[in-house]
Amino acid sequence: MASHRNRTAAQKIARAKEKREKRFSRKREEKKDPTLRVARLERNQPITLDQKRVWDDVDDDELTSSIDLHALKRRRIQEAEDVEREAQEEAEPREDHGSDDDADSMLDSDENDDESDSDENAPAATRPRQDSLAPSIASTSNMEIAPESLLARFPSLFSENSRPAEPKILITTDRHSTLHQAARIFESIIPNSKYVRRSAHKYGHDYSVREISKFAENRGFSSLLVLREDSKKPVGLDIIDIPSKITFHFSISSWIEGRKLPNHGNATNHYPELLLNGFVTPLGLATAKVLQSLFPATPELAGRQCVMFHASRDFLFFRRYRYIIRDKKPTEKSVVGADGKEMRGVENIRAGLQELGPRFTLKLRRIDKGIGRAGSDPADATHWEWKAKMEKNRKRFNL
């Protein structure tokens, strides 16, 4: 038994030695020829989730379609550009070089043919490049590529100057809820928000969500947030856009308060920056827009706080950070630019992130056309609803 273990250990040592020699020999070869390293890194690129993701082979921009709006807009611009260029080419007058009046002899016609052949065979680098008829959309943000269908479905969300610069948010909970601490955390996250307890005296009137939304509308609130509870934990979040009376239902999971995070910071009352990542489909764009409507348009950069909603695999991961600017430690490297050289002016400065909390994960479950199912048309109550069959294909995502 001992001899078997010794033989196995010797084999492992031999394999490790062979790998090490191969690695060092490859390093010596790449040092002589740097193109070998570039080619190796291009071959060894890991396959990410975005590369595996599949899209619907359709040319519409409905909420149920899983399409990349950036690619769809580029394709439509290219098609419109091709049509316009073909129309310009047809409108140009065509010259007839084959008539007998233009060519006096066979020699002249041969010379003309030779000149035309030389023009056709000219290299592409010497040909004049045609200017694009459409502007570049490389710097277009997610909110600027909203299709016409979203503007028709959600006019109060996507219309220009339809939202206040500083929205007012009303926060409440379920009936007789115990999520007072969680609701106060949401009140600290969202500026200009106010939490009102829904639980009342046993002889008091029990207001419904529609009555509360009418109360909020009369007092100038733009959105209503309702926290759902189960086993004294937040399990759901309903966002009601008061101007349009549309309700977004989210489920909440992985709730962790900020005080339970290691090395957490304490938030201030500054307006945070809002970061929305990964919202590329029509449904994702509508979800990002309703989240954007909760925060002021102009952040207070002096607070150095940012709030992030990151969409991945149809989940929305929430994080809240503060930028930390500190002195560089002697053991740390300096900040370098894209060219590999040290950046001037920041030799002794380092930047980092301090998490403020909380952490939680949202998942969109339903979009009602009214305030809940009761406030919607029974025949056509929802814009979109999550169903279990949507996750049958693990490479197709809705957001």
Side-chain angles (χ1 to χ4, degrees):
M1 191 68 181
S3 61
H4 175 70
R5 285 198 298 267
N6 294 336
R7 185 167 60 253
T8 304
Q11 292 175 354
K12 289 182 179 179
I13 293 173
R15 286 196 297 267
K17 184 178 180 181
E18 183 181 358
K19 287 182 179 179
R20 184 174 181 275
E21 291 177 354
K22 187 183 297 185
R23 187 171 65 251
F24 275 87
S25 63
R26 183 186 64 196
K27 189 175 181 180
R28 287 192 295 269
E29 293 175 358
E30 291 177 352
K31 189 175 181 180
K32 296 178 182 178
D33 188 2
T35 58
L36 296 176
R37 183 175 184 273
V38 175
R40 177 175 60 86
L41 293 179
E42 290 180 355
R43 291 194 307 268
N44 296 340
Q45 286 185 357
I47 300 177
T48 61
L49 183 65
D50 293 334
Q51 295 175 349
K52 292 182 179 180
R53 183 171 183 173
V54 297
W55 306 93
D56 294 344
D57 190 12
V58 294
D59 196 18
D60 59 2
D61 44 23
E62 297 295 328
L63 286 180
T64 56
S65 302
S66 178
I67 57 174
D68 188 355
L69 288 178
H70 290 281
L72 179 63
K73 187 166 185 178
R74 285 195 297 267
R75 185 167 65 249
R76 289 179 176 177
I77 288 178
Q78 184 65 33
E79 292 174 357
E81 184 178 328
D82 294 340
V83 171
E84 189 171 350
R85 183 172 288 115
E86 290 177 0
Q88 288 182 358
E89 291 176 356
E90 293 178 358
E92 292 177 356
R94 297 183 178 179
E95 297 180 358
D96 189 4
H97 297 285
S99 61
D100 296 337
D101 297 336
D102 295 337
D104 295 337
S105 64
M106 294 297 293
L107 181 61
D108 295 336
S109 62
D110 293 340
E111 290 177 355
N112 293 335
D113 293 339
D114 294 340
E115 290 177 359
S116 62
D117 293 340
S118 62
D119 293 339
E120 291 178 358
N121 297 328
T126 61
R127 295 174 185 169
R129 183 181 180 275
Q130 295 181 351
D131 294 334
S132 176
L133 301 176
S136 173
I137 61 169
S139 61
T140 306
S141 63
N142 282 344
M143 299 306 163
E144 295 175 355
I145 61 173
E148 297 295 333
S149 61
L150 288 182
L151 184 61
R153 283 177 178 265
F154 311 104
S156 64
L157 287 177
F158 288 93
S159 299
E160 295 183 0
N161 301 325
S162 61
R163 311 297 303 186
E166 294 187 2
K168 289 179 61 178
I169 312 299
L170 180 62
I171 303 174
T172 187
T173 59
D174 274 338
R175 291 185 174 94
H176 312 292
S177 175
T178 61
L179 296 179
H180 306 301
Q181 180 61 25
R184 292 191 186 94
I185 292 175
F186 274 95
E187 188 179 14
S188 67
I189 294 173
I190 304 174
N192 297 328
S193 61
K194 182 176 178 56
Y195 168 54
V196 178
R197 293 194 179 198
R198 195 172 174 186
S199 57
H201 193 267
K202 63 178 180 179
Y203 296 111
H205 181 70
D206 199 358
Y207 291 95
S208 65
V209 175
R210 282 184 290 175
E211 291 174 331
I212 296 173
S213 63
K214 188 175 182 180
F215 165 89
E217 184 179 10
N218 295 335
R219 284 156 181 79
F221 289 94
S222 59
S223 299
L224 172 64
L225 269 63
V226 181
L227 276 173
R228 304 295 181 185
E229 176 187 7
D230 186 23
S231 301
K232 297 185 177 181
K233 293 182 180 180
V235 295
L237 176 66
D238 299 343
I239 301 178
I240 302 171
D241 183 55
I242 293 177
S244 61
K245 304 294 190 298
I246 296 177
T247 307
F248 287 73
H249 299 271
F250 297 90
S251 62
I252 299 178
S253 60
S254 304
W255 174 269
I256 302 177
E257 295 184 6
R259 58 188 177 87
K260 296 183 180 180
L261 298 175
N263 302 323
H264 70 90
N266 296 322
T268 60
N269 58 355
H270 293 88
Y271 290 179
E273 298 179 64
L274 180 62
L275 305 179
L276 300 171
N277 300 329
F279 299 90
V280 294
T281 64
L283 181 63
L285 202 61
T287 306
K289 195 64 178 180
V290 77
L291 294 174
Q292 185 188 27
S293 66
L294 302 178
F295 293 86
T298 304
E300 295 178 352
L301 301 180
R304 296 180 286 110
Q305 295 183 163
C306 66
V307 170
M308 181 182 69
F309 289 93
H310 179 76
S312 177
R313 303 186 183 186
D314 288 344
F315 290 95
L316 308 181
F317 299 94
F318 174 86
R319 297 292 185 271
R320 181 166 59 157
Y321 298 102
R322 176 186 289 117
Y323 300 112
I324 300 297
I325 310 298
R326 57 177 177 82
D327 295 334
K328 185 176 74 69
K329 298 178 181 179
T331 57
E332 293 178 335
K333 297 181 180 179
S334 300
V335 180
V336 297
D339 55 354
K341 298 180 180 179
E342 295 185 4
M343 298 180 64
R344 295 183 178 180
V346 292
E347 292 85 356
N348 299 322
I349 298 177
R350 293 303 299 269
L353 292 176
Q354 182 185 28
E355 190 168 0
L356 306 179
R359 290 181 187 175
F360 59 88
T361 305
L362 299 175
K363 186 168 186 178
L364 183 63
R365 298 295 180 176
R366 193 173 72 248
I367 302 178
D368 289 333
K369 293 185 177 180
I371 301 176
R373 288 189 182 272
S376 305
D377 185 10
D380 188 14
T382 60
H383 284 294
W384 180 87
E385 186 174 6
W386 177 88
K387 296 180 181 179
K389 64 180 182 180
M390 293 181 179
E391 296 186 351
K392 189 173 182 180
N393 186 358
R394 303 298 294 178
K395 297 179 182 180
R396 181 189 181 277
F397 304 109
N398 296 299
L399 298 181

